[in-house]
Each structure stands twice: as structure tokens, then as C-alpha cells.
Amino acid sequence: MEKSIETIWKNGFLKEDSLVAPKVNNLYNQKSIHIIDKFKRMFKINLISIVFFSLGFLIVTYFLDLLITGIMFSIILMALVFINKKLLENLYKLDKGASCYEYLNKFNSWMSHQINLNKKFARYMYPMIFLSIVLGFWFHDAEGVYLGQRLVEELSYLIPNAPIYYGVPIILFLPFLAIFFLLYYFGGTIYKWDLNIVYGRVLKKLKTLLEEIETINTIK
Amino acid sequence: MSNDFYQTSIAPFSGIIIKICRAYTDSQEDYEDYYQEVCLQIWRSRNNFKDKSSWSTWIYKITLNVCMTLLKKKKNNRNHFVSDTNIQEQISESSAFPDENLNILYDAIKKLSEIDRAIIMLYLEETPYQEIAKIIGTSANNIGVRVKRIKTKLKKILDGKID
């Protein structure tokens, strides 16, 4: 006669070794490896996206006659990719066999180094991007003359006595310099916002994980 | 998680956790991950436990919630995430238990929907309908009807496979 499912269930668990629990000690190792793996994937995807974006932007600016912007923008982004690719290579060298606390701490050191380097870079990158946009529009063709030249002519007409430096009215330099230095000053902060938007969730998880490990170590 | 907490509050109920985790996983690696995640969630939620329900019911709830959440995540990630750790040891044709009939029963249970799996596991653990209803969030009558249907389904799947 066929056994009922209740009987199979009861008899099945009567045998020895039916219910051997796995060890729990490896969980944090796996979790830390998983989170850092996720970060590596995101970081890599981000870099690839920047390469494609800069190439696309270069093509678009060519058709919009803003090639100077496109070229400068691409060079800046490629430098960013180059620096971060080197950083990523170092991240891959972290030893997964180390204890999770050690692994997470090493990752944290790498992260601090990465953030510091990118913050420094951002202070130059954002003003340079701004400069690339200004130059792109300055040399944009406006009915046979450069747009910048036309702007200077218009301004000279409106303010004939405006002091001039290298053929450009100083009044034009002021807003440019203000924005340029503001971007330099706030470059690091802008980078931190960007970092939080892209990696905020992963970094928060990592922080929780480290806090948990520290709590666990203090509980008796 | 302290060893004391594990020994006093989780280990006595590890059987329940093992049985449920096995029903929601297809590989040894997943099973171990799910088990550990359940233990961690029990530890994390320990301060939210209220005496309204028993500790075992609390553990059932957490185990089922964790297993279903992880299974959903796994289904979502299956197509666009390839683990760079080791290749999983597949046990889809289950050999998790020493009893062959139990393995066949588990294979059949894994063919059920996630909720049906939870209901039948609780039923087989002799949990009263009223308590299953509380855990699942439905009425006891509904559970009675569902159990009958699930058993019929299981019998069909198992037809001729069990000695």
C-alpha cells in the first residue's frame, strides 16, 4: 500500500543525520564578498558607461558644431576612466580569503583612497568641463564668425569703454571666473553627491554590515 | 550573532528552519546561504518578538519570509547575474536527506507555488490550521480547503514514485 505524505514526512526525519544544520560562521564572509562583488560590478559598469557616453557625446558635438566641447569633454572623461580603471585593478587584488572584518576594512581603505583621489580630480574636472562648454560655444560658427567674437562685438557696441584684456571685455571674464572657481571650490562636494546617487545603497549596506560585525564582537 | 543566542534560541528550532530552507532551494550552497540568512534575521529581529505568539511560530514566520524573499531575489537576478564564486553543486533531483522517499516528497513539494509550499510544510509539521492561517494571513477554513487541494496535487505528482 502506498504511504501517505504524512507518513513519509514523519518516517523520513526519523533517520539520523536528517537534520544537520550548516555552520553559521561563514555568513558574514559571504555577505561581505557579495556586497563588494556588487560594488565592483557597478563600478565597472559605470566606467564602461562613461566611455560610451563620452564617445556618443563626441559624435553629437561634431554634428552640433561644438567639437571643441566634445574633444575636451572626452579627454577629461577618459582621464577619469583611466584613473578609476587603475583603482579597480587594485580592488581586484584584495584577498577574498581574508577574514570578513579584514576584507571589509581593506575595502574601506581602498574606498577612502578612491574617494580622496576622485574628489581631488573632481575639483579640476568640473571647471574643465565648464571651460570645454564655454570654448565650444565661443568657437561655434554664427553666420561666418565665431559666436564668441560676435558676443565681443555686441558687447563693445553696448559698452564702448569696457576695459579689454586680450581682445575680450573684462566684464565677460568675471562671470566665467566666478563659475570656474565655484566649480573648483565645490567640485569635491558635487562628487560626493554623485557618489551617493550611484553607490549610496551599497555603501549604506556595507556600513550596516561593519556595524553588525562590531556589535556581534561585543555581545557575550 | 553570539554563540549563546544561537545555542539557546535558534538551535532547538533548527529542524524547522532546515526543513523549510530545503523546500525553497535547489543547491547545497543556496540551502546553506538561506539557513544562515534566516539565523541572522532571527537575531536581528529578536527585539521585535512579542509574547503574543510562540517563539516557534515567530521562527516559522521569519524563515518563510526570508526564504520567499531570497527566492524572489534569485529569480529576478537569475538572468543578469552570474556569480563569480564557485559553480553551484546542483541538487535539483534532491538527495538532501538519507531517506529516499523523503527526497522524492521534497522534489514534489518544490513543484508547488511558494505559498502552497509554506502551507503544506506547516501542515506536515502538525501546526494547527488556526496558527497556519495566522502565519500565512488568511482564515483557518481557507487553509483547510487549500491543504486538501495541495495534498491531491502532491498525490498526483507522487503517483507511482513512492514505494
Side-chain angles (χ1 to χ4, degrees):
Chain A
M1 200 183 117
E2 257 193 21
K3 288 175 188 170
S4 71
I5 58 166
E6 291 88 345
T7 318
I8 298 168
W9 187 261
K10 267 188 193 165
N11 292 347
F13 290 113
L14 288 178
K15 290 192 179 174
E16 249 181 76
D17 301 336
S18 292
L19 295 169
V20 181
K23 285 182 183 170
V24 190
N25 56 4
N26 203 29
L27 181 66
Y28 279 104
N29 277 339
Q30 288 175 14
K31 270 186 168 274
S32 45
I33 288 173
H34 177 72
I35 290 181
I36 295 172
D37 278 350
K38 193 174 175 183
F39 179 87
K40 281 182 201 164
R41 281 197 303 278
M42 286 173 77
F43 200 80
K44 201 173 163 184
I45 290 169
N46 201 10
L47 293 186
I48 294 169
S49 311
I50 292 174
V51 171
F52 279 106
F53 174 74
S54 67
L55 289 176
F57 192 75
L58 190 64
I59 295 166
V60 170
T61 52
Y62 171 78
F63 288 108
L64 292 176
D65 187 30
L66 293 168
L67 199 55
I68 294 175
T69 304
I71 291 170
M72 281 182 75
F73 201 86
S74 296
I75 291 171
I76 297 162
L77 290 184
M78 287 305 169
L80 179 75
V81 170
F82 179 77
I83 292 169
N84 281 284
K85 197 178 166 287
K86 289 276 165 208
L87 284 167
L88 188 64
E89 281 167 12
N90 289 334
L91 182 58
Y92 276 110
K93 286 177 192 161
L94 290 191
D95 180 18
K96 280 187 182 176
S99 78
C100 60
Y101 196 63
E102 210 179 312
Y103 186 53
L104 285 176
N105 273 327
K106 276 185 184 167
F107 176 74
N108 251 359
S109 314
W110 177 88
M111 198 69 195
S112 308
H113 175 62
Q114 186 263 123
I115 290 173
N116 280 338
L117 205 67
N118 275 304
K119 250 173 98 174
K120 274 182 201 162
F121 187 78
R123 297 183 80 178
Y124 298 98
M125 183 179 81
Y126 292 115
M128 291 308 283
I129 286 175
F130 173 63
L131 178 68
S132 76
I133 294 168
V134 171
L135 288 178
F137 279 98
W138 190 272
F139 292 106
H140 179 69
D141 181 59
E143 293 162 6
V145 285
Y146 292 137
L147 192 63
Q149 219 176 329
R150 212 164 151 184
L151 186 68
V152 170
E153 282 164 15
E154 295 277 333
L155 212 65
S156 307
Y157 179 74
L158 285 171
I159 317 166
N161 299 326
I164 285 174
Y165 185 71
Y166 277 96
V168 180
I170 287 177
I171 202 163
L172 268 184
F173 276 117
L174 293 176
F176 169 79
L177 287 174
I179 295 171
F180 192 88
F181 283 107
L182 275 175
L183 285 171
Y184 174 79
Y185 188 76
F186 290 110
T189 316
I190 298 169
Y191 166 72
K192 283 277 233 179
W193 285 340
D194 186 34
L195 186 80
N196 271 334
I197 291 167
V198 184
Y199 303 112
R201 278 182 68 184
V202 179
L203 295 177
K204 206 175 159 191
K205 267 189 188 176
L206 203 75
K207 200 181 158 207
T208 313
L209 200 64
L210 265 171
E211 279 169 3
E212 271 180 6
I213 295 174
E214 275 157 12
T215 314
I216 282 163
N217 290 338
T218 55
I219 290 177
K220 293 264 164 140
Chain B
M1 190 185 335
S2 72
N3 197 37
D4 282 355
F5 180 80
Y6 181 79
Q7 290 304 334
T8 56
S9 306
I10 299 180
F13 303 93
S14 61
I16 297 168
I17 306 172
I18 293 170
K19 287 172 188 177
I20 296 177
C21 289
R22 284 282 185 206
Y24 286 91
T25 53
D26 285 327
S27 73
Q28 184 64 22
E29 196 187 354
D30 278 354
Y31 157 68
E32 287 176 11
D33 283 353
Y34 280 40
Y35 182 88
Q36 296 187 67
E37 187 65 43
V38 168
C39 293
L40 187 66
Q41 288 300 335
I42 293 170
W43 177 75
R44 274 180 186 157
S45 323
R46 68 196 185 284
N47 296 329
N48 297 333
F49 172 70
K50 290 180 183 94
D51 292 334
K52 279 179 192 170
S53 61
S54 66
W55 180 248
S56 63
T57 307
W58 174 253
I59 286 191
Y60 272 129
K61 271 187 191 170
I62 293 183
T63 311
L64 286 168
N65 285 340
V66 170
C67 286
M68 287 192 213
T69 309
L70 290 177
L71 193 66
K72 268 196 195 105
K73 266 190 190 173
K74 199 186 166 197
K75 278 180 185 170
N76 288 341
N77 290 339
R78 193 169 281 163
N79 294 330
H80 50 83
F81 169 60
V82 179
S83 169
D84 60 356
T85 55
N86 50 345
I87 297 161
Q88 292 189 349
E89 181 195 344
Q90 291 294 321
I91 51 165
S92 49
E93 282 298 315
S94 190
S95 58
F97 301 102
D99 187 284
E100 196 43 43
N101 284 341
L102 185 61
N103 286 329
I104 296 169
L105 177 59
Y106 256 91
D107 285 340
I109 289 174
K110 282 178 198 173
K111 288 183 176 128
L112 299 171
S113 74
E114 286 158 34
I115 294 289
D116 283 355
R117 273 187 241 185
I119 293 171
I120 199 66
M121 303 279 297
L122 293 169
Y123 164 79
L124 289 169
E125 282 295 296
E126 297 176 345
T127 313
Y129 284 175
Q130 201 71 42
E131 210 172 319
I132 301 177
K134 264 190 207 167
I135 295 170
I136 302 294
T138 181
S139 70
N141 284 343
N142 193 357
I143 293 295
V145 176
R146 294 247 336 229
V147 166
K148 269 189 188 170
R149 282 187 196 155
I150 298 166
K151 281 173 74 177
T152 314
K153 246 189 226 176
L154 280 177
K155 273 179 194 159
K156 266 189 194 168
I157 301 170
L158 291 171
D159 193 26
K161 287 185 182 171
I162 301 279
D163 309 326

